[in-house]
């Protein structure tokens, strides 16, 4: 449950949303939330929220102060209901004669951040109506009806914080190191590639005609563009989609010219393909024929799951975490059977290989997947976390997400439609971004001084990727965000995170700037379940809060200058 939003009058879209509300208010509803005492009060259903207004149970010192708990409908992943005396509903006459007077029911709301919220409602009809309302309002497909378009927080202005990091700003940093790259506006109207931003960075020697031909050769028009420039040795990291080649004989000279120009004399180059392993031989054959020329490029295959298999893995993991009274051996068995930790290992391994090709072998790397919007971006972003000290800072990490996930076209609206509770089998759902955040946490655990941000930031990003008051993660690409005027009509999450008071809670107090490359281990004993996210509503937080507070005090004390008496004593 989140901060209370400002009250807004019903507008046209909100009136449309209100059509889904069958019961708007129920008294004496008991709500049980994780890590909180139960509370009883008035439950209200609005266009975007469930609101419970109540007095704490068993608290004699509340002085009449009421609690207000808000839950976004969009944050609900699954709705389960049960009612008593349901047999009475079989007769229409009985229902009409005893409406609201008999029976009771309960609703279990399983949220996308893995909370489980229990509602006990003293009316069968209200139970069924509220369950149907939440089910409908939590699964609306219309982007224009999403809450970020209605959210108006105090002290913030529309347009503030947009855009987080433009291609132009990123290019200025590269231009200070080399003149081998340029900005192309070929995609200004999104006609060349609907999932790319309006401006992209490409080799200076390549004309826009070359880019057009390469785009026609690649799935979705995602031709190779620069993702990261490694200034220590001048190597480049690029990403793109798989070619549309149907056989090894299908080639594109302009695409090969673009790849050749991207090498910048760094031989050999490496093509890392992240597509599924079931067609690895076919892919390798196609890429060797279509992309490798005169020994300039070596093709390496690192298969990573991206679709239903990854979503099913998350569902099995959540099921294991929330199964009550699970004996330790069965728990470990179910954890292993979920294969989530295997996905973490494989993602970090692919990023480590990419970083090794650039840092130790001095070669440029092209990372590509089938569509180029999922595992491709997972690998390029993790690679930058390994190689670049800038990406490990609080600001740089936000820039990385903006640049390599949002502007690069990861379809958040499709991939994050459901989380670990839903039994939906939609092919487009996959927790790629959650997997990225898990990998970041693994890096932070292995290198506790290297990242400026804390685990709390990763948890917040995971929550907002699935449901948010802010517009940052809305839509599937920049084209859609422009169509819905997201930057003009919604608030930016980055502004909220960079508020001074909020930022202090999200920083790593042990951070020390490290200019070196960090090499995370992928050995089984080096990887752990991310308990801070997957078990956050099952384990008490008091000890971690106290530990952080004590850590901050110790670090602050150690940084204070010694007074004269301390100096004389030493």
């Amino acid at each position: 449950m989140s901060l209370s939003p400002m009250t807004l009058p019903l507008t046209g879209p909100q009136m449309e949303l209100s059509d889904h509300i069958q019961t708007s208010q129920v008294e004496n509803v008991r709500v049980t939330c994780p890590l909180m005492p139960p509370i009883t009060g008035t439950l209200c259903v609005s266009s975007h929220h469930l609101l419970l207004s109540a007095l704490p149970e068993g608290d004699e010192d509340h002085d009449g102060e009421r609690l207000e708990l808000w839950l976004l409908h969009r944050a609900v992943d699954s709705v389960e209901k049960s009612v008593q005396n349901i047999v009475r509903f079989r007769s229409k006459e009985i229902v009409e004669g005893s409406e609201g007077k008999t029976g009771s029911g309960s609703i279990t709301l399983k949220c996308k951040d893995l909370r489980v919220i229990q509602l006990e409602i003293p009316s069968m009809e209200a139970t069924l109506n509220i369950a149907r309302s939440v089910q409908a309002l939590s699964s609306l497909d219309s982007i224009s009806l999403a809450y970020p378009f209605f959210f108006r927080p105090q002290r913030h202005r529309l347009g503030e914080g947009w855009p987080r990091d433009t291609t132009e700003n990123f290019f200025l940093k590269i231009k200070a190191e080399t003149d081998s790259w340029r900005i192309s506006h070929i995609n200004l109207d999104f006609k060349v590639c609907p999932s790319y931003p309006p401006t992209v960075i490409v080799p200076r020697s390549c004309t826009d005609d070359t880019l057009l031909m390469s785009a026609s050769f690649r799935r979705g028009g995602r031709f190779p563009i620069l993702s990261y420039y490694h200034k220590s040795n001048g190597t480049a990291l690029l990403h793109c989609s798989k070619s549309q080649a149907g056989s090894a004989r299908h080639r594109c000279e302009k695409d090969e010219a673009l790849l050749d120009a991207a090498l910048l004399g760094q031989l050999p180059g490496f093509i890392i393909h992240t597509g599924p392993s079931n067609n690895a031989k076919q892919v390798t054959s196609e890429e060797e024929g279509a992309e490798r020329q005169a020994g300039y490029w070596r093709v390496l295959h690192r298969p990573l799951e991206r679709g239903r298999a990854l979503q099913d893995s998350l569902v099995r993991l959540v099921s294991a975490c929330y199964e009550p009274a699970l004996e330790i051996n069965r728990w470990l068995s179910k954890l292993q059977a979920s294969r989530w930790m295997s996905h973490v290992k494989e993602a970090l391994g692919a990023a480590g290989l990419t970083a090794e090709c650039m840092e130790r072998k001095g070669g440029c790397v092209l990372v590509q997947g089938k569509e180029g919007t999922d595992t491709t971006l997972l690998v390029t972003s993790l690679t930058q976390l390994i190689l670049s000290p800038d990406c490990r800072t609080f600001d740089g990490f936000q820039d990385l997400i903006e640049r390599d996930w949002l502007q690069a076209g990861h379809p958040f609206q499709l991939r994050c439609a459901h989380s670990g509770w839903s039994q939906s089998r939609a092919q487009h759902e996959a927790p790629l971004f959650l997997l990225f955040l898990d990998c970041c946490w693994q890096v932070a655990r292995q290198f506790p001084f290297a990242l400026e941000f804390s685990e709390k930031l990763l948890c917040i990003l995971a929550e907002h990727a699935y449901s948010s008051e802010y517009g940052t993660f809305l839509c599937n690409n920049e084209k859609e965000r422009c169509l819905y005027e997201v930057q003009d009509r919604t608030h930016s999450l980055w502004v909220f995170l960079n508020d001074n008071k909020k930022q202090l809670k999200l920083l790593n107090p042990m951070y020390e700037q490290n200019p070196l490359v960090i090499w995370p281990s992928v050995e089984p004993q080096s990887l752990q379940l991310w308990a801070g996210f997957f078990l956050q509503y099952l384990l008490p937080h008091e000890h971690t809060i106290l530990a952080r507070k004590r850590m901050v005090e110790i670090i602050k004390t150690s940084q204070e200058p010694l007074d004269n008496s301390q100096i004389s004593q030493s």
Side-chain angles (χ1 to χ4, degrees), residues 498-523:
N498 287 283
D499 176 80
N500 289 335
K501 291 184 179 179
K502 187 67 177 179
Q503 188 183 87
L504 287 175
K505 299 177 181 179
L506 303 177
L507 293 175
N508 174 14
M510 298 190 297
Y511 171 69
E512 293 180 1
Q513 189 173 12
N514 180 3
L516 304 177
V517 175
I518 56 178
W519 299 100
S521 169
V522 295
E523 295 301 321

Side-chain angles (χ1 to χ4, degrees), residues 161-180:
W162 297 101
R164 169 68 201 182
D165 183 43
T166 63
T167 303
E168 288 81 0
N169 292 337
F170 183 52
F171 176 70
L172 289 176
K173 300 174 185 177
I174 298 172
K175 189 177 180 180
E177 302 292 335
T178 178
D179 61 353
S180 300

Side-chain angles (χ1 to χ4, degrees), residues 49 65 70 183 218 251 272 277 314 336 421 425 441 469 479 513 522 531 548 563:
H49 291 84
E65 182 179 350
W70 295 79
I183 285 185
R218 298 278 176 177
R251 300 179 63 173
I272 296 182
S277 56
L314 176 62
Q336 183 178 11
W421 292 114
R425 287 295 181 264
W441 178 81
E469 302 95 337
K479 179 180 179 180
Q513 189 173 12
V522 295
R548 176 183 170 83
D563 58 30

